[in-house]
Amino acid sequence: MKEQLANIRQQALAALNEAKDMADLDQLRVKYLGKKGELTAVLKQMGKLSAEERPVMGQLANDVRAALEQAIDDASQKLAEVTLAHQLQAEALDVTIPGTKAPIGHRHPMYIALDEIKDIFIGMGFTVLDGPEVELATYNFDKLNAEEGHPSRDWSDTFYFDEDSRVMLRSQTSPMQVRAMETMDLPIRIIAPGRVYRKDEVDATHSPMFHQVEGMVIDKNVTMGDLKGTLNLVMEELFGKGTVTRFRPHHFPFTEPSCEMDVQCHKCGGAGCPTCKGEGWIEVLGAGMIHPNVLRMAGIDPEIWSGWAFGMGLERTAMRRFKIADLRLIFENDIRFLEQF
């Protein structure tokens, strides 16, 4: 038995010294110290020894077990240090190497156009206003001289929240012009950008949700010439010198006289194409001199004060600004489209 214990110790220590990883080490622990291990098998023979030999062999067996357990702990620590060294080498970070540039977002083309519009008008002394998207018909229609029965108030054109047609999603940002007239001191120069909603069918130039920039000036001796000069300047600042525009007579209940302003189609240069529906022109805004009734309803004397107002479609402005052929691209969030800007 003494020789058996000596052989187990010698073989086990040699094997532990050759262990390559923790899996090998665990197998050796089971082989020599497990319930069915070699040392356990030798200890089961203790009953065959005489009373004088048992204490001696028992102490020798305990010494062998202690030596193997210590050898296993030492080998485990050594393997852990080697594993850590390999891991540190494999995961080493060279801080002198330039990092991988993380892709980041940027402004949407529509908001690039909006910021440019804001900068232009702020440079001319205008104030930017914001207001509610859920609006009262009083502000969206009544105080803008659009009485009951006006086509724009029909349920087929407007999103209402109640059967009385008094609470609605605003169809224009013009209510902010009324609110400005009621709360701000004269003279007034404001623009009001924001989302608006109409029951339009989706096509290359229409959407049921879109954005407007409305503007208004009220002062003494304001004329239609001031309106045309200002808007032509804005279009040239947006689209470049020599931008071709035209004004067409129109009718809006809010203004009198009224007009619509077009810019020459950026896609076909006026020849006619699907983007402009063959007309060669794209409507960008409606405008006109503020109707005296609107001024009176806001408590402003039209005999002393006059003004002009306009409403501009922001998506169409962005389309012209960046030569986008289809309005739907602005809302589809296709990264292949957006990353161009």
Side-chain angles (χ1 to χ4, degrees), residues 18-226:
E18 298 296 327
K20 297 180 179 180
D21 52 37
M22 298 301 292
D24 289 348
L25 194 63
D26 191 57
Q27 289 178 0
L28 292 172
R29 180 188 61 76
V30 173
K31 178 179 179 181
Y32 291 104
L33 300 179
K35 292 181 179 181
K36 297 181 180 180
E38 294 185 13
L39 182 59
T40 304
V42 173
L43 293 176
K44 288 180 179 180
Q45 302 176 21
M46 293 287 286
K48 300 178 181 180
L49 299 177
S50 63
E52 294 80 9
E53 291 177 320
R54 287 175 190 168
V56 177
M57 291 299 104
Q59 181 62 47
L60 182 58
N62 287 336
D63 291 344
V64 172
R65 179 181 291 277
L68 296 185
E69 289 177 345
Q70 183 62 50
I72 290 173
D73 289 342
D74 292 344
S76 176
Q77 183 176 353
K78 179 181 177 181
L79 288 173
E81 292 174 354
V82 171
T83 301
L84 178 61
H86 289 162
Q87 184 179 1
L88 291 175
Q89 183 177 4
E91 298 178 1
L93 175 65
D94 187 349
V95 296
T96 65
I97 297 177
T100 301
K101 186 176 181 180
I104 59 175
H106 54 77
R107 290 183 300 165
H108 192 280
M110 187 181 66
Y111 286 100
I112 295 175
L114 176 58
D115 288 343
E116 292 176 352
I117 292 169
K118 287 180 179 179
D119 288 344
I120 294 168
F121 279 101
I122 290 173
M124 294 190 291
F126 283 66
T127 300
V128 180
L129 300 183
D130 188 21
E133 294 180 23
V134 177
E135 186 57 272
L136 298 174
T138 300
Y139 283 95
N140 199 88
F141 294 123
D142 297 339
K143 293 189 176 185
L144 292 171
N145 206 37
E147 300 177 347
E148 293 287 347
H150 191 276
S152 64
R153 302 184 68 144
D154 193 272
W155 278 75
S156 62
D157 290 335
T158 303
F159 295 99
Y160 289 102
F161 286 96
D162 61 334
E163 294 183 359
D164 295 331
S165 304
R166 301 311 303 172
V167 182
M168 56 180 291
L169 288 173
R170 65 182 180 186
S171 60
Q172 53 201 355
T173 57
S174 301
M176 288 310 301
Q177 298 179 23
V178 178
R179 294 178 185 275
M181 287 188 282
E182 292 181 343
T183 59
M184 296 178 69
D185 294 331
L186 296 169
I188 298 172
R189 289 175 176 81
I190 63 100
I191 61 170
R195 282 185 293 267
V196 298
Y197 306 85
R198 298 179 189 176
K199 292 183 179 179
D200 288 335
E201 296 295 328
V202 176
D203 61 24
T205 56
H206 294 83
S207 170
M209 187 285 295
F210 57 101
H211 297 73
Q212 275 191 339
V213 180
E214 303 234 356
M216 180 180 70
V217 170
I218 299 178
D219 206 336
K220 295 179 179 178
N221 302 316
V222 173
T223 69
M224 193 75 173
D226 299 320

Side-chain angles (χ1 to χ4, degrees), residues 108-111 113 117 194-196 204-207 209-213 266 282-284 312-322 324 326-328 330-331:
H108 192 280
M110 187 181 66
Y111 286 100
I117 292 169
R195 282 185 293 267
V196 298
T205 56
H206 294 83
S207 170
M209 187 285 295
F210 57 101
H211 297 73
Q212 275 191 339
V213 180
H266 57 277
I282 296 178
E283 175 193 340
V284 290
M312 176 190 301
L314 183 56
E315 282 82 2
R316 294 185 185 181
T317 304
M319 289 173 67
R320 178 65 176 80
R321 169 70 175 79
F322 296 109
I324 299 170
D326 194 319
L327 179 143
R328 288 166 289 195
I330 294 176
F331 298 114

Side-chain angles (χ1 to χ4, degrees), residues 251-291:
H251 169 72
F252 300 109
F254 180 62
T255 53
E256 180 60 38
S258 304
C259 65
E260 286 188 338
M261 182 183 188
D262 304 330
V263 294
Q264 196 171 77
C265 178
H266 57 277
K267 193 70 175 177
C268 64
C273 69
T275 298
C276 61
K277 297 183 178 179
E279 296 182 2
W281 299 86
I282 296 178
E283 175 193 340
V284 290
L285 59 85
M289 301 301 294
I290 300 176
H291 198 292

